[in-house]
Structure formats: structure tokens, C-alpha cells
Amino acid sequence: MNAPDPAVPHRPPRTGVLLVNLGTPDAPRTPEVRRYLREFLSDPRVLDMPAPGRAALLHLVILPFRPARSAEAYRKIWSDEGSPLLFHTLALARGVQEKLGPETPVEAAMRYGAPSIARGLAALRAQAVDRVVVLPLYPQYSSATTGSTLEKVFAEAARLWNVPSLVTLPPFYDEPGFARAFAAVGRPLLHEFHPDFILFSYHGLPESQVRKGDESGAHCLRSEGCCDGVGTVNRNCYRAQCYATSRRLAAELGLGSDRYQVAFQSRLGRVPWIRPYTDRVLRELPGRGVKRLAVFCPAFVADCLETLEEIGLRGKDAFLAAGGEAFHLVPSLNAHPAWVAAVAEMVRGATGGGRD
């Protein structure tokens, strides 16, 4: 048996971190938005229908018209730094890198668009990383976000000749650090703004996707109280996890159940989506006596089109037009120090490094 070569010292596997968000166009122009939407909406986990129907909907209905409208919306939120979702995610990666130290490289990637997951994995491998901790930056699980991201990570890792070990972190909808970070962002603003009501607005999903995730086939959306808690039967239910996030965040903020409501935004098409709908709730609240409204968007950890334009601009206009008097969108977590610390803590917990 040959003796080990003393010139090649043994080292333990090096761990790196891949933070993955959904994605963004490269620019707020119609061609770039069309390219982004084509990639995004070609995903069968997003438009979960037979391939011929998905192709027809995408190429005959969506891509001829929606890119121009979406590009106009993106222009309203684009900054000198570029896409908010991208620069906030990159800032988060830099903050987590600083928190974890130089021995744990951190890369950011997007499920759709750039920087790609393949690029992120390659960058980690170039830094001698053998074990990759993957954190999909979606607090609540859905097949269209977390599921699609993990599928893509596994596929891209499998393309490498030297396949790294992957450690995937679960949805963090009920993580204390996540709730504490959102409370740290929101609490000072609420004290200054003095709202008389809080709306927690989450991205919506078609009801069919929620039911598809119900492995029992007998619980999700079957009763009024189906999302009152998260247990074995509905552990993967996006809607139930959204309500769990709201309860946790309300507790952190000291809100009674009469001070807040949950709603779901961003629905498309004519099929039923999970209710209640945010746009309708915004128009109804002034009639219920709500004049000063603050809105959190706890499905998003970085500000983006859905927070800044859909809620911060169109949602505000709808609320004020219906008789509201003051409206405040609470910023997302972005790269707030409390969120940077929470992400670093989750990574350490997943790799046996302990929690602060």
C-alpha cells in the first residue's frame, strides 16, 4: 500500500452557500422582459398544464402582449443600480459572506435569468467548494418556486463531472429569525406611521396547485379552517404556511387578530386563485373604517416588481381611491442586518456550525 503523499495535505470538505431568488429581466425593455417571461413561463411547475396548451398560451396570448406592459411596470421601479430584486439579493449575499467569513464562500443566483444557478455552482467549485448549502429565498413552499428551484439546482449539479454534495434548506416561513427580521424592519415604521390596520399580502397561487400539493387529497381548501395550523397533512400547503407566517409576525409585532388580515396578490387568468384577493381587500378596507393602512409582503425577502409596483404604486392608488387616507408599504428584508444574521444562522444550523 502506498503511503500518503506528505506534499498533499488533507483538508476537510469546504462548504459554500448558494442563495437563489426567482429572477428578473436584464433590463426594463420589451425584448429583455420577453426573454425573461419566455424562460419563466415555459417552466411546467409554473404553468402546470399539458405542454401543447402551455405553448399555445405562452406564444399566442402572453408573449405577444404582456412583455410591453411588464416592461413599463419595471421602468417605474428600476434604479441606477438596476433591478431591485437583483441588487438586494447580491447585497444579501455580500452581507452573509461577511458574517460567515472567508472560509465559507457565498454566491447569489436566480432561477430564471442572470446570474444563473449554473454560474453560481461553477463559481463555488472554482473556490474549492465540495459541499453546497442551497437556500431558496422563498419563505413559503410552492412547487412553482421552491420546487422548481431545487429541481434546477439538482439538474445543474448533475451536469458537473465532480458533483458537489448538496444540503438544501427547507422553507423558513416559521423560522424565528425570519419573523424577527421582518419585525425589525417594520416596527420602527409602524411606530412612526401609526396605522389602524395591517395587511399581510402574499403572492397568490392557483387553487389547483394548492390542491395538487395535498398528498391526502382531502384537506387543502376543503373547509374554512383548513389553514388554521400546519400539521402532517398540510405540511406542504403554501396557503397554510402563509397564515403561519402571519401569526408569527403578528406575535412579534404585538398585533391582535383584529388588527390584521391576510390576502393574496398577483393572480392571472380566469381560473380560481387562493383567496382573499389583495386587490379586492384594498378596495374594501376603507368601507370597513380603515383609513391608515400598512402593508407587509412576507412572501418576498427582497423588494421587486410585486412589492414596489403592484402594492406600493397600484395598491396604494386603489386604497386611496376607495376612501383610504394614508398608505405605507413596509420594505422587504433586502439586506437588513437582522436578515443577514438570520440567514447566516440558518446556514450554520444546517451545517452543524451551531446557532448564535
Side-chain angles (χ1 to χ4, degrees):
M1 181 178 294
N2 294 328
D5 186 346
V8 184
H10 172 75
R11 68 167 182 83
R14 192 180 194 194
T15 296
V17 180
L18 187 66
L19 305 178
V20 189
N21 217 323
L22 190 69
T24 179
D26 293 329
R29 297 185 295 257
T30 299
E32 287 86 352
V33 173
R34 180 180 292 110
R35 183 167 62 246
Y36 170 73
L37 290 177
R38 181 182 293 113
E39 181 185 6
F40 174 43
L41 297 175
S42 295
D43 188 338
R45 288 181 181 267
V46 175
L47 290 180
D48 59 327
M49 58 179 64
R54 183 169 57 253
L57 178 62
L58 182 60
H59 294 286
L60 300 179
V61 178
I62 297 176
L63 291 181
F65 308 105
R66 189 175 173 192
R69 295 196 300 269
S70 293
E72 182 180 358
Y74 274 110
R75 284 192 289 272
K76 295 176 182 178
I77 66 162
W78 217 262
S79 76
D80 292 340
E81 296 178 84
S83 164
L85 182 134
L86 177 57
F87 67 70
H88 286 311
T89 303
L90 293 175
L92 173 66
R94 290 193 297 270
V96 175
Q97 173 74 85
E98 183 176 346
K99 200 79 173 173
L100 294 176
E103 286 306 308
T104 306
V106 179
E107 294 288 334
M110 298 288 161
R111 169 60 183 90
Y112 313 101
S116 68
I117 289 172
R119 177 202 167 280
L121 289 172
L124 291 173
R125 293 293 294 169
Q127 297 173 77
V129 164
D130 297 304
R131 179 174 64 169
V132 180
V133 177
V134 182
L135 176 57
L137 292 170
Y138 323 112
Q140 302 83 23
Y141 177 85
S142 78
S143 179
T145 54
T146 313
S148 177
T149 293
L150 292 179
E151 180 181 39
K152 184 68 170 177
V153 169
F154 296 147
E156 294 295 346
R159 295 177 190 274
L160 300 172
W161 185 258
N162 297 316
V163 178
S165 172
L166 299 178
V167 178
T168 60
L169 296 185
F172 46 89
Y173 66 94
D174 203 30
E175 272 283 328
F178 167 63
R180 286 196 300 267
F182 244 123
V185 172
R187 192 179 290 111
L189 300 173
L190 299 185
H191 286 326
E192 180 180 345
F193 180 60
H194 298 293
D196 46 37
F197 200 72
I198 308 293
L199 182 66
F200 296 127
S201 181
Y202 296 83
H203 201 289
L205 277 181
E207 289 186 356
S208 61
Q209 290 196 15
V210 173
R211 291 195 174 96
K212 194 172 181 178
D214 180 1
E215 295 173 359
S216 75
H219 181 85
C220 290
L221 304 181
R222 303 287 180 174
S223 68
E224 286 294 324
C226 63
C227 293
D228 288 348
V230 178
T232 301
V233 71
N234 66 342
R235 65 194 185 280
N236 296 315
C237 176
Y238 173 80
R239 188 173 184 270
Q241 292 182 6
C242 290
Y243 275 95
T245 296
S246 298
R247 290 190 295 269
R248 169 77 75 167
L249 186 50
E252 287 285 342
L253 294 169
L255 300 176
S257 59
D258 60 336
R259 292 286 315 285
Y260 73 90
Q261 181 176 349
V262 174
F264 300 91
Q265 64 186 81
S266 310
R267 73 186 191 279
L268 294 171
R270 299 179 181 178
V271 300
W273 283 49
I274 53 177
R275 295 174 172 84
Y277 299 143
T278 294
D279 57 340
R280 294 183 183 176
V281 171
L282 289 172
R283 294 193 296 268
E284 293 167 358
L285 285 174
R288 291 158 46 186
V290 174
K291 300 302 180 183
R292 301 180 63 82
L293 179 68
V295 182
F296 287 76
C297 296
F300 307 93
V301 300
D303 277 315
C304 55
L305 188 71
E306 287 80 1
T307 65
L308 298 173
E309 193 274 337
E310 184 178 358
I311 300 299
L313 297 177
R314 285 188 284 136
K316 177 181 180 179
D317 289 346
F319 176 74
L320 297 179
E325 296 175 357
F327 179 101
H328 195 105
L329 171 65
V330 176
S332 193
L333 297 173
N334 298 323
H336 189 281
W339 177 227
V340 170
V343 171
E345 183 180 7
M346 286 191 282
V347 170
R348 291 192 192 103
T351 57
R355 294 181 179 242
D356 291 341

